[in-house]
Amino acid sequence: EALVEGGVKMGLSEPVAYQMATQTLFGAVKMLIKLDLTPAEQIKKVTSPGGTTLAGLAMLESGRFKEIVISAMEAAAKRSAELGSV
């Protein structure tokens, strides 16, 4: 959803932003599976110095994206355990 909204904010139509977002995610997952890479290896493989991926990653890191995703997973796991014990 955020990828689509970001694309729209940058001037893309919603259908084009949606297509780009889904194809980007699909391509990333396909590359991980096909090349048997870890996420860290894939980041190194696709990130060029001063490039667009590096700029995006720097913004995500400045906003503590990784920690937020980990916290979200912990919250979901905790809630799953609570629901399982009901």
Side-chain angles (χ1 to χ4, degrees):
E1 184 179 18
L3 289 173
V4 175
E5 289 180 19
V8 169
K9 185 175 181 179
M10 298 311 300
L12 300 174
S13 69
E14 190 167 333
V16 170
Y18 178 81
Q19 183 178 20
M20 289 182 73
T22 56
Q23 289 301 309
T24 297
L25 294 171
F26 177 73
V29 170
K30 188 175 176 181
M31 187 175 178
L32 280 169
I33 293 168
K34 185 176 180 180
L35 300 179
D36 194 28
L37 299 172
T38 67
E41 290 169 334
Q42 182 162 332
I43 289 169
K44 286 180 186 176
K45 193 169 192 65
V46 303
T47 304
S48 56
T52 58
T53 301
L54 185 61
L57 289 172
M59 180 55 67
L60 291 172
E61 289 174 11
S62 73
R64 298 182 36 245
F65 180 78
K66 188 175 184 177
E67 291 86 358
I68 291 168
V69 171
I70 292 168
S71 294
M73 292 183 68
E74 290 171 341
K78 180 180 175 187
R79 183 63 182 143
S80 177
E82 291 169 356
L83 291 172
S85 65
V86 175

